[in-house]
Amino acid sequence: MPPSPPSPPPAYAEVAVPVPLDYALVYRVPAHLGPVEPGCRVRVPVGRREHVGVVVGVREKAPEGGYEIRELAAVLDLQPVLTPDLLELARFVADYYLTPIGEVPRMMLPGSLPPWGDRRVSLTNAGALAPPRDAGEERLVAALLAGPGQRLADLQRTLRLPDLGARVEALRQLGRLSVEEPGARRGARYVTAVDLAPGELDGHLAACGRSPHGRAVVEVLDALGRPATLRELTAAVGCGASVVRRLVKLRILRQFTQPERLSLARHRLSSAGGEPPRWELRPDQRAAVTALTAALAAGGFAAFLLRGMTGSGKTEVYLRAVERTLELGRSAILLVPEIALVPALARHAVERFGRDLAILHSNLSSGEREQEWERLRRGEARIVLGPRSALFAPLASVGLVIVDEEHDAAYKQDQTPRYNGRDLALWRARAAGAVAVLVSATPSMESRHNVAAGKLAALALTARVGRAELPAGILVDLRDERVELRPGEVCFSQRLLAEIRAALDAGDQVILLRNRRGYSPILLCRACGEDFRCPDCGLPFTFHRRARRLMCHYCGRERGVPPVCPQCQEPALDPIGAGTERVEEQFKELFPDVPVDVLDADATRRAGGAAAVLERFAAGRSQVLIGTQMVSKGHHFPRVSLAAVLDADTYLGFPDFRAVERTYALLTQLAGRAGRGERPGKVVIQTFHPRHYAIRAVLENDDETFVREEMRFRRSFHYPPFTRMVQLLVRHKDRAKAEGQLREIAARLLAHPLAHGVLVAGPALAPLERLRGKWRYQLLLRSASGGRLRRLVREAVDVPSSVDLVVDVDPYALM
């Protein structure tokens, strides 16, 4: 029987394009573009315009329906930029969060990632000298000998090699090709690199003669199994460059050039030097590590909640789990809620894992981001560290996913697709057969509920590292204070001032929390009442004195500070309220000789970012750190003996069901920054609500009472974790139209059969009524079944594209 003919390559591609559709569009793949794989980016026509989309599937036959199928305009990647598991994750995100499928792949990739075909390829000296291994490689080498720096897309058109991408990558790893990145990397510096010439190891060693350094160079290169830079090699052997040059002359090594790797040292705290310490684990830490390593060894999905008081050594536990993951040949994802937490954890990770670590976050330059992403894709790095977007790193064989400070609201994306990084971390771990570990000193109500339901296994740490103890709590009732304040200043109570003086006199450090950045939230004219509101949002501008700007923290609009009131021309402008800038000013008036620094969102955008501020504080060059909630999370400063909250009531009054939980977590986390060294710590909490159960629980270290009271509130009013929630938000420049559009949506929802048993609140104005020039009306849907809610919205909410509707599944803020 004659062999069956090979099946033709798939001729149609299903493409997710960034348009408001919940399905992929189908396009014909022209023969001259060759086969295309799922995960590659393509340029396609949509209407009269072209969009860049991602291929999510391929098929051999056209879909039925008889409509015209258009062709792909271009294939931008010769190799997929999204792995199969990330494509599956994209489908899940689109389905669960009711998001157009085309919006999801776009947020998974670095925004500046250039098309693969734009990269330029050149032969190195080693590539020009090495004999081609087959006919395809011979054609590629001949084409590159004709001229260096050729675009991959041009090579694909002329050579028509179906495996060009794989060939280029293999030759690049062997040091025979250099691949120049477009855009930011085009001006990269080039460094000298070497590789072993073809031949047996014994022959190379014999050719080195009696030179011990020469033999060591050969042995290091053989052990690496890849080319190495001259700097890397001389540092590893402890020899000079002349040793390497001699081996090149003897033709033991081949020399070539390659782009210099960008250093990410500025994004991590500097190492203390020497070998990283290996702590002796306490019995509770040892039990947690044992449970995690057993789950890793068993393979398959397992999910844990690692809970322990601040300073109990949770980081050491999960870093030991990362070590075991690497030993098993798998990769790991380390998620933190904010960029400010990256520098300290990056230092510990680099000390342990070296080049195996890659960092991904939005404060990297485009060149740094592309470099780290490529290192992960190629397998040169097996650990990724970053905020929620690092979850989408192109890692192969994921074995461990860590979500540090899992309770933090920053894991929830506030733009479409509005996913929760913590929840997607569990999904990716399940899909990869990996171990997921949620970590927190103050777990979210949802995670506590999942432990009780058996969905998460609990691991508990019950003591602090070393001899450190929890700080003593000091409550200051601001109702009793009789401090004379200038308009808008914050209160430094007499008790707080005394504690600050005592800490500073002892040579200790102090952290002060004021959860509002800028100088003051309002600039007020006392003559006519003008309060300088943002014309797009209707909210007062925040006054930034250092920058001499009025800024809207919601839409980003800015304006200069006028010398007099523009309405009445009176010089009666006064800042009302206090942000971190004003607290810094007050503190310097009280303690003029004490070095102080500020950590907030403004500081992260200045030179050096958060890492520079934290570096100065860790080194003792600043003695007091003032900041927003950034100062409360995850930092380990052994010399801090006092942490203080200038106003603990910041969150309590927010019209949001999570306001109390956030207050409790914020205060508990801040308290945990004190007393982590040899000296005992103290936390001062200033409040106008001294009897509130959240504040009492922080002061008395009574987590059980807080959880009982908070769960009672959530159950009584049908809030998560006892129900699932979907928020529908309509935005329009015309207030009446916004309300009318949402009322029409509400009527369709209530008329649907699935609406039976669903709690509907609204339509009503959102707490922040107007942002970016649009009025905002919201509708809240609650049900015990999340699947029922999503089906209801999917089937009942079908609005024209002219309606600006936001659908937020499992919302984390209702402002």
Side-chain angles (χ1 to χ4, degrees):
M1 181 177 178
S4 58
S7 58
Y12 298 91
E14 299 170 0
V15 182
V17 291
V19 293
L21 297 173
D22 57 3
Y23 55 88
L25 301 177
V26 178
Y27 292 86
R28 183 181 294 107
V29 181
H32 71 276
L33 292 181
V36 61
E37 297 181 61
C40 289
R41 291 172 296 171
V42 292
R43 187 176 292 115
V44 295
V46 181
R48 297 181 180 179
R49 302 176 59 189
E50 284 191 350
H51 290 268
V52 174
V54 174
V55 177
V56 295
V58 293
R59 55 169 67 186
E60 297 179 7
K61 296 181 179 180
E64 297 178 358
Y67 49 84
E68 178 189 2
I69 298 180
R70 305 172 77 177
E71 290 188 343
L72 298 179
V75 177
L76 303 183
D77 300 308
L78 300 183
Q79 292 180 330
V81 292
L82 286 180
T83 56
D85 62 319
L86 288 177
L87 285 176
E88 283 300 315
L89 180 59
R91 294 187 186 96
F92 171 78
V93 170
D95 178 67
Y96 185 89
Y97 290 102
L98 305 175
T99 299
I101 181 64
E103 297 287 347
V104 184
R106 186 167 59 174
M107 64 99 178
M108 291 181 160
L109 297 169
S112 60
L113 188 67
W116 177 260
D118 283 356
R119 290 164 169 81
R120 294 184 179 271
V121 184
S122 300
L123 280 174
T124 63
N125 293 340
L129 295 172
R133 294 172 295 182
D134 57 34
E137 188 172 311
E138 184 176 5
R139 292 173 59 201
L140 174 59
V141 171
L144 292 174
L145 284 172
Q150 296 190 46
R151 292 176 68 247
L152 274 165
D154 297 333
L155 290 171
Q156 174 69 359
R157 261 194 308 273
T158 57
L159 300 178
R160 294 187 177 272
L161 293 173
D163 57 349
L164 177 63
R167 287 180 178 276
V168 168
E169 180 64 16
L171 292 173
R172 188 201 65 80
Q173 292 187 6
L174 290 172
R176 298 182 183 182
L177 292 182
S178 65
V179 180
E180 181 184 344
E181 306 290 342
R185 297 306 310 277
R186 189 172 296 142
R189 292 183 359 183
Y190 282 77
V191 295
T192 300
V194 293
D195 191 15
L196 283 174
E200 296 295 326
L201 176 62
D202 290 341
H204 289 323
L205 292 173
C208 291
R210 301 172 64 180
S211 169
H213 281 147
R215 296 171 65 88
V217 166
V218 170
E219 288 171 346
V220 167
L221 278 172
D222 180 68
L224 285 174
R226 61 169 174 81
T229 65
L230 183 62
R231 186 186 308 162
E232 179 184 10
L233 200 54
T234 54
V237 175
C239 67
S242 60
V243 174
V244 179
R245 286 196 291 268
R246 175 177 173 269
L247 297 178
V248 172
K249 286 182 180 180
L250 293 172
R251 298 194 176 184
I252 299 171
L253 304 183
R254 297 178 299 188
Q255 180 176 307
F256 54 96
T257 58
Q258 65 183 31
E260 183 178 31
R261 182 187 172 200
L262 297 174
S263 171
L264 268 65
R266 68 187 180 94
H267 297 288
R268 63 176 185 265
L269 298 185
S270 60
S271 174
E275 290 293 321
R278 297 290 296 180
W279 306 109
E280 183 68 30
L281 297 180
R282 300 188 313 271
D284 57 345
Q285 289 177 298
R286 198 157 44 244
V289 170
T290 299
L292 294 179
T293 53
L296 288 165
F301 173 68
F304 296 87
L305 174 64
L306 175 60
R307 179 187 167 200
M309 66 183 69
T310 53
S312 57
K314 299 183 291 294
T315 303
E316 181 66 22
V317 168
Y318 68 66
L319 288 180
R320 299 274 179 114
V322 172
E323 288 178 346
R324 181 57 181 153
T325 303
L326 297 187
E327 291 171 1
L328 293 170
R330 304 188 73 178
S331 56
I333 298 173
L334 298 179
L335 299 183
V336 292
E338 292 186 359
I339 294 173
L341 295 181
V342 169
L345 185 53
R347 176 185 62 189
H348 296 308
V350 166
E351 287 174 348
R352 293 189 187 220
F353 310 118
R355 291 174 63 94
D356 262 324
L357 177 75
I359 296 173
L360 282 181
H361 58 67
S362 59
N363 273 9
L364 300 181
S365 69
S366 58
E368 290 169 336
R369 209 158 35 238
E370 291 163 22
Q371 169 185 277
E372 297 297 272
W373 191 88
E374 284 288 353
R375 291 179 60 230
L376 291 162
R377 186 184 66 82
R378 294 171 182 153
E380 295 173 5
R382 295 188 293 159
I383 308 166
V384 63
L385 165 63
R388 59 177 181 264
S389 59
L391 179 66
F392 309 121
L395 281 167
S397 187
V398 174
L400 179 67
V401 183
I402 303 292
V403 185
D404 205 355
E405 309 289 357
E406 65 85 24
H407 64 278
D408 201 290
Y411 281 116
K412 177 69 173 179
Q413 169 100 333
D414 61 0
Q415 295 177 343
T416 302
R418 296 171 182 264
Y419 68 91
N420 190 309
R422 175 199 62 201
D423 299 341
L424 289 192
L426 291 169
W427 193 96
R428 186 168 187 187
R430 182 185 296 276
V435 174
V437 186
L438 310 185
V439 184
S440 179
T442 53
S444 62
M445 295 296 114
E446 286 83 357
S447 292
R448 296 176 193 262
H449 187 72
N450 285 335
V451 168
K455 296 179 180 179
L456 295 173
L459 302 174
L461 304 186
T462 56
R464 285 191 133 189
V465 171
R467 291 181 289 176
E469 298 180 357
L470 286 173
I474 300 171
L475 178 68
V476 175
D477 188 344
L478 292 177
R479 298 174 301 177
D480 298 334
E481 288 296 314
R482 297 292 183 266
V483 180
E484 290 293 328
L485 297 175
R486 292 175 299 192
E489 288 186 333
V490 295
C491 179
F492 280 86
S493 65
Q494 293 303 314
R495 179 62 187 274
L496 175 56
L497 290 174
E499 295 296 341
I500 292 174
R501 290 192 187 98
L504 297 178
D505 290 344
D508 294 337
Q509 291 179 303
V510 177
I511 293 179
L512 301 177
L513 172 70
R514 174 58 176 168
N515 205 25
R516 186 185 291 275
R517 64 187 172 104
Y519 188 83
S520 68
I522 299 175
L523 186 64
L524 179 71
C525 175
R526 293 194 177 275
C528 69
E530 168 65 25
D531 58 1
F532 298 93
R533 291 179 177 261
C534 172
D536 292 329
C537 301
L539 299 169
F541 282 111
T542 297
F543 173 39
H544 288 251
R545 187 168 184 170
R546 184 179 290 113
R548 296 301 300 172
R549 305 291 292 172
L550 295 173
M551 303 181 186
C552 178
H553 290 172
Y554 293 95
C555 72
R557 178 187 281 265
E558 297 184 22
R559 59 168 294 184
V561 179
V564 297
C565 175
Q567 300 298 323
C568 67
Q569 306 303 311
E570 290 291 330
L573 302 181
D574 277 336
I576 304 298
T580 51
E581 283 186 23
R582 190 161 197 171
V583 173
E584 178 189 18
E585 180 184 85
Q586 280 186 251
F587 186 88
K588 287 180 175 179
E589 291 176 358
L590 294 166
F591 302 93
D593 299 325
V594 176
V596 60
D597 223 330
V598 174
L599 180 65
D600 58 17
D602 297 324
T604 63
R605 288 190 283 268
R606 292 195 284 270
V613 176
L614 296 170
E615 188 77 65
R616 288 193 294 270
F617 193 64
R621 294 196 297 274
S622 57
Q623 199 170 357
V624 175
L625 185 62
I626 298 168
T628 58
Q629 59 183 352
M630 289 183 180
V631 302
S632 69
K633 302 172 185 177
H635 307 299
H636 177 72
F637 300 117
R639 293 170 55 192
V640 172
S641 65
L642 176 66
V645 188
L646 298 179
D647 182 2
D649 309 323
T650 304
Y651 273 137
L652 286 177
F654 270 46
D656 192 306
F657 72 93
R658 286 193 172 92
V660 173
E661 179 186 4
R662 287 178 180 159
T663 300
Y664 174 75
L666 179 65
L667 301 188
T668 302
Q669 294 284 340
L670 179 77
R673 299 314 110 204
R676 299 170 76 98
E678 296 297 318
R679 294 175 61 82
K682 296 180 181 179
V683 57
V684 176
I685 297 179
Q686 299 188 151
T687 177
F688 287 99
H689 300 88
R691 301 307 306 169
H692 195 284
Y693 67 86
I695 291 174
R696 301 303 311 181
V698 174
L699 289 167
E700 297 166 9
N701 190 28
D702 189 358
D703 185 75
E704 184 177 338
T705 296
F706 167 74
V707 173
R708 183 174 63 249
E709 292 297 321
E710 186 64 10
M711 288 294 195
R712 179 183 301 161
F713 159 73
R714 301 282 185 92
R715 186 183 289 107
S716 298
F717 290 93
H718 307 286
Y719 283 123
F722 300 102
T723 60
R724 308 302 292 272
M725 181 182 291
V726 174
Q727 178 195 43
L728 302 180
L729 182 75
V730 167
R731 302 177 292 199
H732 200 284
K733 291 182 178 180
D734 185 295
R735 178 173 178 168
K737 287 184 178 179
E739 182 179 10
Q741 289 173 350
L742 190 57
R743 289 198 179 280
E744 290 179 11
I745 293 171
R748 287 199 297 271
L749 283 167
L750 293 171
H752 196 280
L754 287 172
H756 179 70
V758 173
L759 297 175
V760 180
L765 275 169
L768 296 177
E769 301 175 355
R770 187 164 167 262
L771 290 180
R772 300 175 181 89
K774 293 185 176 182
W775 291 93
R776 308 163 77 247
Y777 275 80
Q778 70 176 8
L779 190 71
L780 298 180
L781 310 177
R782 282 172 285 175
S783 170
S785 169
R788 183 187 187 93
L789 278 184
R790 293 193 301 276
R791 278 186 57 205
L792 171 62
V793 174
R794 192 179 290 114
E795 295 179 13
V797 179
D798 183 17
V799 298
S801 58
S802 59
V803 176
D804 186 357
L805 174 67
V806 173
V807 179
D808 193 355
V809 178
D810 301 335
Y812 235 68
L814 303 179
M815 299 298 292

